[in-house]
Amino acid sequence: MLQHTDAQFDEVLTKRAVALLEDRTDFAVVNGAIPMIPTTVFNGNYKVWKAADFRRRNIEKRANGAEFKRVNIGVEEKSFSCEQEGYEIPVADRNRLENEMEDTTAKMVEDAYAQFDIRLAEKLTVANFKYHKQGNATADKGAGKFVKWDLAGSNPIADIKAFKAEIKERLGVNPDSLLITEDVYTALTENATILARLRTDADKEITTAKLAQFFGLDNIYVMAGAETKSAEGQDAEIGAIKSNVALLYYKGKVAGATAPSAVKCFYNTNTYGAGTNGIIIQTYREEKITADIARVVQDFTIVVSMADGATLLTDVIG
């Protein structure tokens, strides 16, 4: 991305970006899916928790005259660095219409939200999560398998219940969240076992709230972004940022660098601009081409901070 020293903060675009954030939280998955931890520096430290430390329950009554029992929590400290990325485009001639600038800005902010999804999707691999299950085409549930959720005979509700119990055995608490890709969400809305839970046809509009109720979870998030793989929009090739995967995990109630959570996102707030989850909108005037330049910049990083606080599900459908 080109850097310019004459970039200026644009209040109109900032307000537009904030409005988009408030209106498009379904698109910006990570806004709610994982704890967003603001930091005023590009670099910092966070705690990596292990299940053995998280599940400790060592509170005991102290005998008169005795010392308090001391317990060592082997939490590992690691460093993070917010990574800056973004792009800029000439918006239009200086006589451009106001709504043209707004439309362009809306697209740029939407792209920035999708980038969060892309980076999060890159973390959903068996290399990052020790515990994982694989969808199977038959009823054989051995060796960490389950029946794919788009097949007859599958039972996602029973599967999630069993997976939750396994995570609770590791952590001492139940997982509270499920992150799924859009194709998995579609399969769940058409699953016979789930539809059988609803009394009438009018009731059979499956929402994330209903799924959360069936699964006994606090949160269900759907990754609905898309990735354009072509250069500058030529020969458009657009695909799902990630498909056929789900993450059952412990999110926790507190978004802090030391608080236990399976996945965290750190974003930089030491910049002017929209300040919306690391997304900053800037504009400047380019004299040579007599145009206004709009730029989207984002500083963030996504880390796995408690790998055994989650179970990754692969080959969920298909």
Side-chain angles (χ1 to χ4, degrees), residues 100-297:
E100 181 182 356
M101 174 69 89
E102 286 197 356
D103 290 343
T104 302
T105 307
K107 175 63 170 62
M108 295 178 75
V109 175
E110 193 169 88
D111 288 349
Y113 287 157
Q115 197 67 20
F116 274 118
D117 280 358
I118 293 169
R119 293 292 174 263
L120 177 57
E122 291 174 350
K123 300 293 182 179
L124 301 184
T125 66
V126 296
N128 289 322
F129 293 96
K130 177 180 179 181
Y131 299 94
H132 46 86
K133 308 284 185 179
Q134 184 178 21
N136 197 39
T138 69
D140 176 20
K141 295 186 178 181
K145 294 186 177 181
F146 61 95
V147 179
K148 295 183 178 183
W149 290 347
D150 60 340
L151 298 181
S154 64
N155 192 335
I157 297 175
D159 291 337
I160 292 295
K161 182 179 179 180
F163 302 156
K164 285 173 59 181
E166 292 178 6
I167 293 178
K168 186 174 182 179
E169 286 183 1
R170 300 197 299 266
L171 289 184
V173 297
N174 276 312
D176 54 19
S177 302
L178 180 68
L179 175 65
I180 56 180
T181 51
E182 198 167 21
D183 53 350
V184 172
Y185 175 66
T186 300
L188 288 174
T189 63
E190 300 170 353
N191 183 271
T193 302
I194 291 176
L195 291 175
R197 292 288 184 109
L198 304 175
R199 297 180 179 179
T200 66
D201 290 338
D203 208 20
K204 293 184 177 180
E205 179 181 351
I206 306 297
T207 63
T208 54
K210 287 181 180 178
L211 289 177
Q213 181 181 3
F214 293 156
F215 293 152
L217 297 170
D218 294 336
N219 315 291
I220 291 185
Y221 304 103
V222 181
M223 301 180 70
E227 181 179 11
T228 302
K229 300 178 180 178
S230 54
E232 297 183 358
Q234 302 301 313
D235 299 321
E237 180 184 352
I238 301 175
I241 56 176
K242 184 78 174 180
S243 62
N244 208 2
V245 68
L247 185 71
L248 179 65
Y249 65 105
Y250 177 78
K251 173 186 173 183
K253 306 297 184 183
V254 181
T258 61
S261 179
V263 187
K264 297 181 185 295
C265 179
F266 295 88
Y267 63 97
N268 179 40
T269 55
N270 195 26
T271 55
Y272 54 80
T276 54
N277 296 344
I279 300 174
I280 302 101
I281 302 297
Q282 301 171 341
T283 58
Y284 67 94
R285 182 60 54 84
E286 176 60 71
E287 299 295 341
K288 293 181 179 178
I289 59 176
T290 64
D292 290 315
I293 307 296
R295 172 194 292 170
V296 59
V297 180

